[in-house]
Amino acid sequence: MYEEDIFDLDNAYLVGYFACNKYYADILPELRKDFVFPENPDARAAARNRETMQRMEKENEDGHTLPVSIHFRRGDYLLAENSALLGGICTPEYYRGAVQYLKTRFPGRTFHFYLFSDDPDYAETLTFGDESDTSTVVRWNEGESSLLDIELMSRCRANICANSTFSFWGARLNPRDDAVRIRPLDHKNTQSASPEVMHSLWEGWVLADRQGNIV
């Protein structure tokens, strides 16, 4: 999960995903300043991104609406060779527990859920919150422009992540001091870490298990 020894290496070439937040925690302020997203080459999609970010900014400022990103990783995770390793972690209970945590933390707020997925048709079938809340499925950034979903995630007040570095980076690049970042306790079915260890590696993040319990 986290190999501190790599920082003692000299003139080394490293290959890996380096998903653990502790690798980046001390340089995230600089990364957030230096990382610049391109604009979607499709003019209509670019306009929708600008409009969506403006809406999120207004929601963040109005003190009433809470913009929340929720990411669902499907696609290759559904393949048999990947499902045993990565499947069954972000259960419906996980997402419901994460939403309920936010409801408890921000009582009386109206929620706007922005749903992101490599399977937007699936996301369209999902509902969260209550009748006063709204949902928007973001499905206009496609192909190489899919990375722009990360930029939109980073503009939300709260981020509910899948066990996927795609949504981890959306949450990491969120510059808000009051951002709430939620991730599953487990990343892979072959890994097992105590909540105490995970909290030390993902300082400041909220952890939820497969049953939707905040741990």
Side-chain angles (χ1 to χ4, degrees):
M1 293 182 184
Y2 179 72
E3 300 293 339
E4 189 173 9
D5 293 346
I6 70 171
F7 295 104
D8 296 326
L9 299 175
D10 183 36
N11 194 27
Y13 181 80
L14 304 175
V15 178
Y17 292 103
F18 306 102
C20 182
N21 202 62
K22 193 169 183 177
Y23 286 121
Y24 312 96
D26 61 334
I27 60 169
L28 277 175
E30 289 78 12
L31 283 178
R32 291 169 184 147
K33 293 177 182 178
D34 293 341
F35 200 98
V36 178
F37 287 92
E39 187 171 87
N40 195 312
D42 181 283
R44 290 186 178 182
R48 294 198 70 176
N49 285 335
R50 289 192 296 271
E51 292 166 1
T52 300
M53 287 187 284
Q54 290 170 359
R55 185 189 312 121
M56 290 171 172
E57 183 176 354
K58 290 180 180 178
E59 291 170 345
N60 277 317
E61 293 176 351
D62 70 14
H64 177 67
T65 308
L66 198 81
V68 179
S69 74
I70 309 182
H71 180 235
F72 309 91
R73 177 72 177 267
R74 285 169 63 82
D76 58 332
Y77 276 27
L78 301 181
L79 299 176
E81 60 267 29
N82 295 326
S83 181
L85 179 64
L86 300 163
I89 293 174
C90 291
T91 61
E93 292 77 18
Y94 161 74
Y95 287 110
R96 284 196 292 267
V99 169
Q100 184 56 45
Y101 168 81
L102 292 174
K103 284 284 187 178
T104 302
R105 183 161 173 172
F106 300 98
R109 300 288 290 271
T110 297
F111 285 60
H112 189 160
F113 298 105
Y114 292 89
L115 310 185
F116 299 85
S117 181
D118 51 359
D119 186 353
D121 290 339
Y122 169 77
E124 293 279 7
T125 69
L126 304 174
T127 57
F128 293 96
D130 52 43
E131 293 180 355
S132 65
D133 301 322
T134 58
S135 293
T136 297
V137 177
V138 178
R139 57 184 308 156
W140 53 85
N141 292 313
E142 300 177 328
E144 293 184 356
S145 295
S146 295
L147 66 88
L148 297 176
D149 282 355
I150 296 177
E151 181 178 24
L152 296 181
M153 291 180 197
S154 74
R155 301 301 183 93
C156 290
R157 173 70 183 280
N159 308 108
I160 300 176
C161 300
N163 56 325
S164 169
T165 55
F166 191 88
S167 48
F168 290 165
W169 277 107
R172 282 192 186 115
L173 294 176
N174 188 333
R176 297 183 61 88
D177 293 334
D178 58 0
V180 181
R181 303 173 180 88
I182 304 175
R183 62 146 294 164
L185 174 63
D186 301 318
H187 187 82
K188 299 178 181 179
N189 289 314
T190 54
Q191 295 174 335
S192 178
S194 68
E196 291 76 17
V197 169
M198 287 298 292
H199 279 296
S200 70
L201 298 179
W202 294 75
E203 187 175 356
W205 287 58
V206 177
L207 307 177
D209 65 18
R210 303 175 198 223
Q211 291 74 45
N213 302 307
I214 304 301
V215 296

